[in-house]
Amino acid sequence: MIRDWAELDSSDPLRRYRDCFLGADDSSVPAYLDGNSLGRPTKAGVERVTTFMTQSWAGRLIRGWDEQWFDLPLTVGDALAAAALGAGPGQTTIGDSTTVLLYKLARGGVALRPGRTEIVLDRDNFPTDRYLLESIAAELNMSLRWIETDRREGVTPDQLSAVVGDRTALVVLSHVAYRSGFLLDAAEAARITHAAGGVLLLDLSHSVGSVPLELDSWGVDLAVGCTYKYLNGGPGSPAFAYVRAEHLADFAQPIWGWMGRADPFEMEQGYVAAQGIRRVISGTPPVLGMIAMQDTIEMLADVGMAAVRAKSVALGEYALDLIRELLVPLGVEIASPEDSSRRGGHVTIDHPDFERITARLWERGVIPDFRGPNGIRLGLSPLSTSFQEVHAGVSAIRDELLA
């Protein structure tokens, strides 16, 4: 028997955090289930941005660079690493878009394995990842080794083992698949990649802030991810990059800019990369774009990722129970792993009419997202999503299918 949403919300140990988000009590949006594309703003984040503009920016002006802005990509990076990445200090920086940082890390990863000619990736990775690696392969005259994956699943250890070898320079995988939510065994992927002599680069865009990460202990070499999903940084907020400490001395990224140079304010002739993770930085960092995410990072540090994951699993199990009872009899198919140990923070369902009814759902304030050809993703953000929202959202999908 499906538990009552009111009972689940009242017993939720993280329920008080929902009040930290703007719009969570907006009756015109009874179900926001797209936090895996764009998270809600935090109330404290709005105050922090306003204070920054009226005091730090307006008050300190250019002096702010000397006081704290210059190191902000590294200080926020270290805070994120400690709260959500399972990574020690000095390996993470914030800045650029996910695409630009993915390019930097992929090029730098290939350069760590000179003489090797192949990049391994899967057919259902996020389009930007695929397109960008196609461009790098063309640029460097390398070959792509494609893993053929089931859209409702993801890359398995056996599939990865079958394609890596002595020509593998770089393996690029998403830790949580953007379509199905499949959760990669990252430690095993690292082991397989390293046994073949390659470098592993993970895209954490659908992982960070939703599922626990242990980049250091897993042996991941490089990682990139966005901050506007579960980290609530806002539209287009800057991404983050992780470079394992053992690689930093030799890591060379291709976009040389003045703030990634040793002693950048000397303005000297010729490029000499900075020591440590600062060498990943290129130009002036997006200071304003780093402000809002800091409050979510603080919440994650306070709550702990184990509690976040427990809430995420509970939301997913509740959604699946509702889907089986209300939607499967109407021809809906579950397009995500049903075992929570193999699923990240969202649940995908398929039906031929989903593209048509998504616009109607949005009109009534029920907001999932559509992913072709037939999928609706239910994004379940542990700090801001309630069980009531999940019930309202799945019920609205049923109503639209019956209309």
Side-chain angles (χ1 to χ4, degrees):
M1 181 177 177
I2 298 176
R3 293 179 64 186
D4 179 64
W5 61 260
E7 176 188 351
L8 290 167
D9 277 331
S10 66
S11 61
D12 173 18
L14 303 187
R15 63 187 181 277
R16 67 184 178 90
Y17 288 95
R18 179 171 162 80
D19 292 335
C20 297
F21 293 86
L22 275 175
D25 55 357
D26 182 355
S27 60
S28 70
V29 183
Y32 184 61
L33 302 175
D34 208 0
N36 61 325
S37 285
L38 179 66
R40 290 184 182 275
T42 64
K43 295 175 181 177
V46 173
E47 294 179 6
R48 191 188 290 258
V49 170
T50 301
T51 298
F52 174 82
M53 296 184 71
T54 58
Q55 298 180 24
S56 296
W57 180 1
R60 301 307 300 159
L61 296 171
I62 196 66
R63 293 173 293 180
W65 285 110
D66 295 332
E67 294 164 354
Q68 60 173 319
W69 302 346
F70 182 74
D71 289 326
L72 201 60
L74 309 186
T75 57
V76 178
D78 280 348
L80 175 62
L85 300 184
Q91 302 174 101
T92 307
T93 185
I94 311 289
D96 301 319
S97 68
T98 311
T99 302
V100 172
L101 284 180
L102 182 63
Y103 177 74
K104 289 181 177 182
L105 295 193
R107 281 289 309 272
V110 167
L112 290 172
R113 295 295 181 265
R116 293 189 169 222
T117 59
E118 292 184 351
I119 299 173
V120 172
L121 67 161
D122 65 285
R123 292 281 186 190
D124 203 43
N125 208 336
F126 191 73
T128 288
D129 299 52
R130 290 183 277 116
Y131 304 156
L132 188 144
L133 292 170
E134 288 174 359
S135 76
I136 290 175
E139 179 184 6
L140 300 179
N141 195 29
M142 299 181 72
S143 299
L144 298 176
R145 286 294 301 273
W146 293 95
I147 301 173
E148 304 293 338
T149 53
D150 183 340
R151 285 184 172 180
R152 299 185 178 187
E153 293 288 335
V155 178
T156 67
D158 287 345
Q159 289 175 316
L160 180 59
S161 295
V163 297
V164 296
D166 58 11
R167 289 179 290 184
T168 302
L170 182 68
V171 174
V172 181
L173 301 171
S174 285
H175 182 238
V176 169
Y178 86 98
R179 192 192 305 271
S180 71
F182 176 88
L183 183 61
L184 177 77
D185 185 340
E188 183 65 4
R191 186 195 67 78
I192 293 167
T193 300
H194 295 159
V199 171
L200 176 64
L201 166 55
L202 289 187
D203 186 333
L204 305 177
S205 293
H206 284 88
S207 307
V208 62
S210 174
V211 299
L213 300 166
E214 296 294 340
L215 298 185
D216 284 354
S217 63
W218 289 342
V220 173
D221 299 296
L222 309 167
V224 65
C226 67
T227 63
Y228 44 79
K229 297 179 173 39
Y230 300 108
L231 297 182
N232 311 101
S237 57
F240 65 90
Y242 163 92
V243 179
R244 192 171 184 82
E246 66 189 68
H247 297 309
L248 281 170
D250 299 319
F251 185 79
Q253 57 96 353
I255 305 178
W256 296 355
W258 77 293
M259 277 207 177
R261 190 192 189 281
D263 298 322
F265 291 99
E266 296 300 320
M267 308 293 180
E268 293 181 351
Q269 184 67 30
Y271 183 80
V272 179
Q275 294 298 306
I277 192 66
R278 183 173 288 281
R279 62 179 50 205
V280 177
I281 299 173
S282 297
T284 305
V287 173
L288 187 58
M290 284 183 269
I291 301 301
M293 73 180 75
Q294 294 178 59
D295 294 287
T296 297
I297 293 172
E298 290 177 2
M299 280 192 272
L300 294 174
D302 178 54
V303 174
M305 285 306 303
V308 169
R309 175 59 173 165
K311 170 72 177 293
S312 177
V313 169
L315 287 167
E317 292 300 319
Y318 182 59
L320 286 168
D321 285 345
L322 290 169
I323 290 163
R324 294 185 191 105
E325 179 172 294
L326 302 181
L327 301 185
V328 169
L330 301 179
V332 171
E333 298 179 354
I334 297 170
S336 293
E338 296 186 53
D339 179 352
S340 62
S341 68
R342 298 174 56 242
R343 186 184 66 249
H346 63 270
V347 174
T348 300
I349 50 180
D350 283 352
H351 190 279
D353 288 339
F354 274 169
E355 184 173 14
R356 177 178 59 84
I357 73 169
T358 297
R360 296 211 306 264
L361 290 168
W362 279 36
E363 288 175 0
R364 57 191 291 179
V366 173
I367 307 175
D369 68 2
F370 176 79
R371 287 292 179 265
N374 299 310
I376 277 179
R377 294 190 311 181
L378 306 177
L380 311 170
S381 298
L383 295 178
S384 61
T385 301
S386 68
F387 291 92
Q388 180 181 11
E389 282 185 285
V390 176
H391 183 272
V394 175
S395 298
I397 293 171
R398 176 203 56 194
D399 294 346
E400 291 297 341
L401 287 174
L402 291 173

